[in-house]
Amino acid sequence: MTTHAMHRSNLLLAGILLLALVWLAFPPATSATTTRHIHLDMTQFEFTPSRIQVNQGDHVIITLTSSDVVHGFYLDGYEIQQRVEPGIPQQIEFVADRSGKFRFRCSVSCGSLHPFMIGELVVASNTSYYGAIGLVSVALAGLLIYLWQFKAEPHEQMPA
Amino acid sequence: MFNLNRPIELTERLPILKPILKSRLFQPALMMITLAGFTLAILTGLLGTPAGNRNFGIVFVWIVWWGLLILVLIPFTGRAWCAACPIPAPGEWLQRRGIINRTRGRLSSMRWRWPRRFRNMWLQNFGFLSMAIFSTIILTRPAVTAWVLLGFILIGIVLSILYENRVFCRYVCPVGGFIGLYSMVSPMALRVRDPQVCVDHKTKDCVTGNANGYGCPWMLYPGKLERNAYCGMCMECIKTCPHDNIVINLSAPGGDLLVAKERKLDEAYKAFIMLACALMYSAVLLGPWGWLKGWANMNTLPHWLLYAAGFLLVNLVGLPGLFYLTTAVARRLAGQQAPTKRLFIDYAYTLIPLGLAAWVAFSFGFVLINGSYALATASDPFGWGWNLFGTADAPWTPLGSGWVPFLQTGVLTIGLLFSTNIGYKIARQHSQTHQQAMRALLPLAGFMLLIVLIFLRLYLG
């Protein structure tokens, strides 16, 4: 490969990396933090609502109820756990200080589909999601550039 | 320095390995251990508690065994599980009229001929899909799991009575089908050291068998083995080869995918089915949609029929159809000469590393989270209140729930890059020039990026 072509591909790679860094450094803007009151009801084998969206820094208060059997609530990443019996609401509260998508799941065996009774808490801005998209795209672009430039036979190289 | 183009002969580097693999006790010992676990899984499934997470059958089959298979065994050892699998054991032992030693004479069976039209992966494809549409039921009901396992053993025995060798494993087993497909990504492989030795060898003991072992139960000729897809690593050929020419190699992962002459539509479809199933399971089982879980769980028959129809449509038409269009675009962009159908089959092999990565990512989502159930069920396999090892009351402890999405992202990224690289090499086989191959690769890479983005949306979005 010619020095010029190599230089050009390096510049392209650097450009893509820079874009990815900018993307990670300045994620989509979020609104001001606030206190969120959410009612989350559990039945076999779903949560209602199944997806909760808050902003990073929000003070989240969730009232948990069960409409059929004993369920549990476990929030991935925050490791909050609460047992919920029918007719006895429970309350949990936390500050959503970590952004991303966190699954909440039933933590008390409640029937056949218990391990798959799952809901989602999305704490915006979901930087890990956008970061993952950036990572995958940059990695693929990098590989394509590598293949384009470095896998060519000597007589097939791109003109400088 | 490790040269990726030259395989490392594992049996030479680890001299202890050869006598172990040559021992006639080796495989039966593995099978007896797994058969004991398998029998317990069936018994607990039929007699134990119906609560899946408290039943040995469900936890050890669908979490422990599955996790071991998809996260460790297939990626690193290819079909090694098939050497230990208990399902064909009773049938094979009946055929051989013995378990350990090589018995004299031919195998005992009715020696029917396996129909030519089924000498492919199609039965395995449709077997897997038939199970897949019921998977939510099978994965969560101990009794159903037990009947499925028992059914496998019975089919294995019946086929061993009718046909010689491992017809069940080679052409029927739905699990063996995808293990074979993904084992082509694994670095570990059984091969011959010097193919010329096999060419010159007249008696072909690896096929016919001799006093040291049986002819290949998988009906292969090891001298021409270039892929892991159908070699069950039973090691009979290592025992029978009089020239000590069969070895276990470590080589560059994915090399099998470049063996152009072996590519077929049945295997291509297996790649589509497996990728589509990983996507569907990620949505149905790990997603937040309770109504979808209800449909898959057969809460009402009409909804389940709708679910099954959608599931089959995505597997057999949706994903393959989209990929066909992608192939047609790639062919046009690159000006390739090969027919679109040929390219469709060949390029489908680019999806195999990504498919394996997708299954690894999906499995991280529930194996790590639910793995701790194994402690309790090991102590109380039937859920009858036993406490054999003092761990019956071990609490459910999700492992790494905070970093599972990052693991999934990493695995999917590796899978995408691996697949793209394989895609380039396959495109190169159909292209006169490097530029032509790169033009063909772009739509394929776009297709795979789209698939990964859908996974990311499900896991992180």
Side-chain angles (χ1 to χ4, degrees):
Chain A
M1 186 159 69
T2 63
T3 317
H4 190 81
M6 195 181 285
H7 185 64
R8 197 177 53 175
S9 72
N10 287 344
L11 271 178
L12 197 55
L13 261 179
I16 291 171
L17 279 172
L18 192 67
L19 271 177
L21 285 175
V22 170
W23 191 358
L24 289 176
F26 301 100
T30 57
S31 46
T33 61
T34 179
T35 297
R36 306 263 185 167
H37 291 272
I38 295 151
H39 174 220
L40 190 64
D41 186 56
M42 295 180 249
T43 51
Q44 286 174 323
F45 302 96
E46 63 181 316
F47 293 90
T48 310
S50 59
R51 187 175 163 101
I52 298 170
Q53 191 128 10
V54 300
N55 289 321
Q56 189 169 12
D58 280 357
H59 179 211
V60 182
I61 302 170
I62 303 180
T63 304
L64 301 161
T65 57
S66 167
S67 297
D68 45 25
V69 297
V70 177
H71 289 285
F73 174 90
Y74 177 86
L75 180 57
D76 286 5
Y78 285 81
E79 274 101 43
I80 295 168
Q81 196 162 355
Q82 179 64 53
R83 182 184 167 91
V84 185
E85 293 180 18
I88 308 173
Q90 300 288 341
Q91 205 168 66
I92 56 164
E93 54 180 289
F94 60 98
V95 175
D97 52 0
R98 298 178 60 189
S99 85
K101 177 158 104 175
F102 304 92
R103 285 187 167 76
F104 44 85
R105 47 186 94 238
C106 182
S107 59
V108 174
S109 187
C110 63
S112 58
L113 257 66
H114 156 71
F116 304 114
M117 184 172 160
I118 292 169
E120 294 174 348
L121 168 74
V122 178
V123 182
S125 60
N126 189 350
T127 42
S128 46
Y129 176 48
Y130 298 109
I133 293 175
L135 171 75
V136 165
S137 309
V138 169
L140 181 62
L143 178 65
L144 289 174
I145 291 167
Y146 167 79
L147 290 172
W148 182 254
Q149 292 293 348
F150 292 89
K151 287 281 182 176
E153 303 295 327
H155 65 279
E156 293 177 332
Q157 300 226 329
M158 300 293 100
Chain B
M1 181 146 166
F2 181 53
N3 180 357
L4 281 173
N5 296 317
R6 242 187 75 207
I8 294 173
E9 201 181 304
L10 208 58
T11 28
E12 186 188 59
R13 296 284 175 96
L14 298 169
I16 183 89
L17 212 53
K18 205 78 182 233
I20 293 174
L21 299 180
K22 273 180 174 278
S23 162
R24 288 225 57 85
L25 189 62
F26 173 65
Q27 197 190 15
L30 289 178
M31 285 171 139
M32 281 180 200
I33 295 167
T34 57
L35 190 59
F38 197 79
T39 309
L40 184 59
I42 292 174
L43 287 175
T44 53
L46 294 177
L47 307 172
T49 171
N53 56 323
R54 285 282 163 196
N55 188 296
F56 178 91
I58 290 288
V59 172
F60 272 79
V61 172
W62 299 124
I63 297 176
V64 177
W65 168 77
W66 176 261
L68 200 64
L69 181 75
I70 211 79
L71 303 179
V72 182
L73 291 176
I74 295 177
F76 299 107
T77 69
R79 284 202 92 134
W81 164 255
C82 295
C85 179
I87 293 172
E92 188 166 73
W93 295 339
L94 277 174
Q95 262 192 0
R96 292 177 174 178
R97 304 176 309 279
I99 295 178
I100 298 171
N101 293 326
R102 165 74 159 103
T103 47
R104 295 166 74 94
R106 285 187 68 170
L107 299 170
S108 296
S109 83
M110 295 177 76
R111 290 179 202 145
W112 289 11
R113 283 180 64 78
W114 184 250
R116 186 170 289 275
R117 65 176 175 280
F118 293 138
R119 289 182 194 172
N120 47 50
M121 240 186 215
W122 285 114
L123 274 182
Q124 292 172 313
N125 285 346
F126 287 106
F128 186 86
L129 275 178
S130 310
M131 283 182 60
I133 54 175
F134 293 101
S135 57
T136 307
I137 309 282
I138 298 171
L139 291 177
T140 56
R141 269 71 161 188
V144 182
T145 285
W147 282 113
V148 168
L149 299 182
L150 207 54
F152 277 7
I153 288 235
L154 290 176
I155 294 171
I157 290 173
V158 169
L159 291 179
S160 293
I161 292 169
L162 301 179
Y163 304 95
E164 284 191 324
N165 294 313
R166 291 222 189 171
V167 161
F168 173 78
C169 305
R170 175 81 193 260
Y171 300 117
V172 181
C173 179
V175 180
F178 80 77
I179 295 181
L181 185 85
Y182 288 143
S183 69
M184 291 194 277
V185 176
S186 163
M188 202 167 101
L190 182 142
R191 296 287 187 272
V192 295
R193 184 184 289 129
D194 178 1
Q196 194 54 42
V197 171
C198 298
V199 172
D200 296 339
H201 184 223
K202 299 292 176 228
T203 57
K204 305 282 189 269
D205 295 27
C206 55
V207 176
T208 59
N210 59 25
N212 296 323
Y214 296 91
C216 177
W218 289 72
M219 298 157 283
L220 294 169
Y221 169 47
K224 286 195 171 172
L225 204 58
E226 289 182 275
R227 307 188 310 162
N228 295 341
Y230 301 106
C231 166
M233 302 188 99
C234 64
M235 312 295 169
E236 286 297 333
C237 55
I238 286 192
K239 298 173 180 75
T240 53
C241 180
H243 299 289
D244 212 16
N245 195 36
I246 313 273
V247 296
I248 303 290
N249 283 340
L250 277 183
S251 49
D256 295 13
L257 302 172
L258 303 175
V259 182
K261 63 178 187 284
E262 303 268 7
R263 297 189 193 121
K264 290 176 296 176
L265 186 63
D266 54 324
E267 293 181 359
Y269 249 86
K270 173 60 84 183
F272 293 125
I273 288 170
M274 294 310 296
L275 185 59
C277 281
L279 206 53
M280 300 286 282
Y281 286 160
S282 296
V284 176
L285 298 176
L286 303 185
W289 304 287
W291 59 269
L292 191 54
K293 293 177 211 286
W295 287 22
N297 194 36
M298 251 188 205
N299 285 1
T300 63
L301 189 62
H303 280 144
W304 178 80
L305 288 173
L306 213 59
Y307 164 78
F311 196 96
L312 294 176
L313 207 66
V314 170
N315 272 277
L316 296 173
V317 182
L319 194 74
L322 195 59
F323 193 77
Y324 191 89
L325 288 177
T326 308
T327 302
V329 171
R331 180 176 182 269
R332 199 181 169 88
L333 259 182
Q336 288 170 322
Q337 299 299 314
T340 310
K341 187 186 171 190
R342 177 76 259 159
L343 293 172
F344 169 70
I345 293 171
D346 286 8
Y347 287 147
Y349 285 72
T350 61
L351 302 179
I352 293 175
L354 180 61
L356 178 59
W359 276 96
V360 170
F362 163 70
S363 303
F364 273 138
F366 73 93
V367 168
L368 295 178
I369 301 295
N370 296 308
S372 61
Y373 286 130
L375 287 175
T377 50
S379 261
D380 185 14
F382 290 88
W384 287 345
W386 296 359
N387 198 356
L388 299 174
F389 309 110
T391 55
D393 296 321
W396 172 69
T397 313
L399 189 64
S401 65
W403 40 265
V404 162
F406 301 104
L407 277 179
Q408 291 170 321
T409 304
V411 168
L412 287 168
T413 307
I414 292 169
L416 176 65
L417 297 185
F418 195 158
S419 277
T420 306
N421 193 36
I422 291 291
Y424 170 77
K425 289 175 179 171
I426 294 176
R428 197 68 181 86
Q429 291 172 342
H430 286 288
S431 307
Q432 302 291 326
T433 65
H434 162 71
Q435 285 87 349
Q436 203 182 6
M438 282 305 297
R439 282 198 297 273
L441 180 62
L442 285 177
L444 300 175
F447 177 89
M448 293 188 287
L449 180 63
L450 176 70
I451 296 287
V452 170
L453 292 179
I454 296 173
F455 274 108
L456 291 182
R457 176 71 181 79
L458 288 170
Y459 295 149
L460 289 98

